[in-house]
Amino acid sequence: MEDPTVTTTAQEAPAGNWNRDQLRQAALVKISKFEALANKGLIMIAGFLAISIAALRDFDFLPSVPLSVLAFLGPPPSANMISAALVFYCFSAIILILAKMMSGSNKYGGLAHLGYLSGFYLFYHFAAAMERNFWAVFAAGMTILALEEYHLWIYCAEEIRKERETLAELGGGNGKAPNFKR
Amino acid sequence: MLRSLSAKAIVPVAVAVTGFVVVCCILLYSVMKTDMTNDATVQATNLANTIVKSTRYAMLKSDRETLSNIIDNIGGQHGVETVRIFNKKGLIMVSKDHAEVGQFVDKKTAGCIGCHAGAVPKASFRAMEQARTFTNARGSAVLAITAPVYNEPECFNADCHFHPPEQKVLGTLDIGLDQAPLISALGVMRNRMTIFSLMILVLTVGGVAALLRRNVFMPIKSLSNFTEKVVHGTIGQDFPRCGGEIEGIASNVRTIAEELNKAKTELDKR
């Protein structure tokens, strides 16, 4: 999931003469956007913790699903099948995040992971196997979201550093657009 | 600290390996615990059925003394917490605990409610439905099995008996087994898995960290020291001998510095 509000510095290299203040202002706006983006992962982790607390109580505060809906959905998969899917998902997600780290991509998949992890909680809930498997989903979620957050944080820290360098260049510049390519 | 090169290299690996190993261990433990509990339930159910078969003749002959003796002997076995037989109405006929003989069991308790929830009690159920677990007064976890004593042709055709053929269940055997050995085995398995996981984590993360330190961080540190000396005008022969790309970079930096020095010297001469 790419954040459309934040673009890289190279993409926004202005072509003509720019007012130095405008450039400085643009750099400051980008810094604040990257700072906000870096906190996005923490919001996802907080959301996951909230869902986990609900799952720990086996969603006892939610109304029961009507029998007709349960009959329509059919029997849930066995706990072993859900566990096998969880291992496969966890492995794939970690590999994909490490691959994103290697490529220096700015894509963030926290929201999608939140959805998948909630799905696992629901499957275990309907399979009546939440008590035995709660900590496995929790550990998988914390690992995946922590890696995503670390990746995003490192990416944003790097971009903020670049913008600060740009600001430093603008401090002694001639008012022309600085070279954003690094 | 987290922005350093070593942190960037080691933190993702450590988090990924630790997280994945923890998830796999929890799931593996969960699956093994379920399997072992199911096996224990099947074994306990077989034991209950064996007791029903063993006491069948005594019940057929209405030999209370022999029946009581068999139940006392079984109840004296290590790990048998409770064993009793009650009739269709719930009246305890014979028990390891002689004090409860003649009392009625509560049909609403766990283990009874499964069959007695509806207006007509269930007459047959699967092995897993026969089992229940509870903690007794001594604080021990107990796996209890209820095995029905079915009405058979020998029962309702016997001269001395009064059970009509329509009556499917004559009574129930209830046996409770101490789960301490199972819990202990699960605890040992959990500890072994924890130690095994820690060893894997130390080996993996430690191995990656050691190799990165030897092959990347130490040469980069040497290169950094070397370039710092070059910047300050000291061009010694001690550039990093670490091989590969880093030694190439050090060599290039040294060449550039020497060329600059030469140019500077020539300029000074003029």
Side-chain angles (χ1 to χ4, degrees), chain A residues 87 90-91 93-95 97-98 101 139-140 142-144 146-147, chain B residues 9-26 193-194 196-209 212:
Chain A
V87 171
C90 186
F91 181 78
I94 288 172
I95 293 289
I97 296 167
L98 293 178
M101 280 182 181
M142 287 309 291
T143 304
I144 290 164
L147 276 176
Chain B
I10 292 170
V11 168
V13 175
V15 172
V17 173
T18 307
F20 190 67
V21 168
V22 167
V23 169
C24 287
C25 277
I26 293 172
M193 282 175 73
T194 306
F196 176 70
S197 306
L198 285 174
M199 285 164 69
I200 286 181
L201 291 177
V202 170
L203 276 178
T204 311
V205 178
V208 169
L212 280 174

Side-chain angles (χ1 to χ4, degrees), chain A residues 80 83 86-87 90-91 94 98 101 124 132-133 135-136 139-140 143 146-147 150 153-154 157-158, chain B residues 2-4 7-9 11-13 15-16 18-20 22-24 26-27 30-31 33-35:
Chain A
N80 284 356
S83 298
L86 178 64
V87 171
C90 186
F91 181 78
I94 288 172
L98 293 178
M101 280 182 181
Y124 278 127
R132 293 196 307 271
N133 299 289
W135 291 109
T143 304
L147 276 176
Y150 184 73
W153 182 68
I154 290 291
E158 185 66 20
Chain B
L2 284 172
R3 289 178 198 178
S4 67
K8 280 181 188 172
V11 168
V13 175
V15 172
T18 307
F20 190 67
V22 167
V23 169
C24 287
I26 293 172
L27 289 176
S30 168
V31 169
K33 185 180 176 184
T34 307
D35 288 348

Side-chain angles (χ1 to χ4, degrees), chain A residues 133-165:
Chain A
N133 299 289
F134 169 81
W135 291 109
V137 183
F138 183 76
M142 287 309 291
T143 304
I144 290 164
L145 292 175
L147 276 176
E148 280 279 9
E149 166 60 10
Y150 184 73
H151 159 59
L152 192 66
W153 182 68
I154 290 291
Y155 171 78
C156 290
E158 185 66 20
E159 293 302 317
I160 288 169
R161 188 188 60 77
K162 286 178 187 174
E163 292 303 327
R164 289 205 171 126
E165 278 179 15

Side-chain angles (χ1 to χ4, degrees), chain A residues 10 33 42 46 68 74 76 86 140 149 155 171 174 176:
Chain A
K33 280 180 181 174
L42 293 177
S68 56
L86 178 64
E149 166 60 10
Y155 171 78
N174 55 8
K176 287 188 178 178

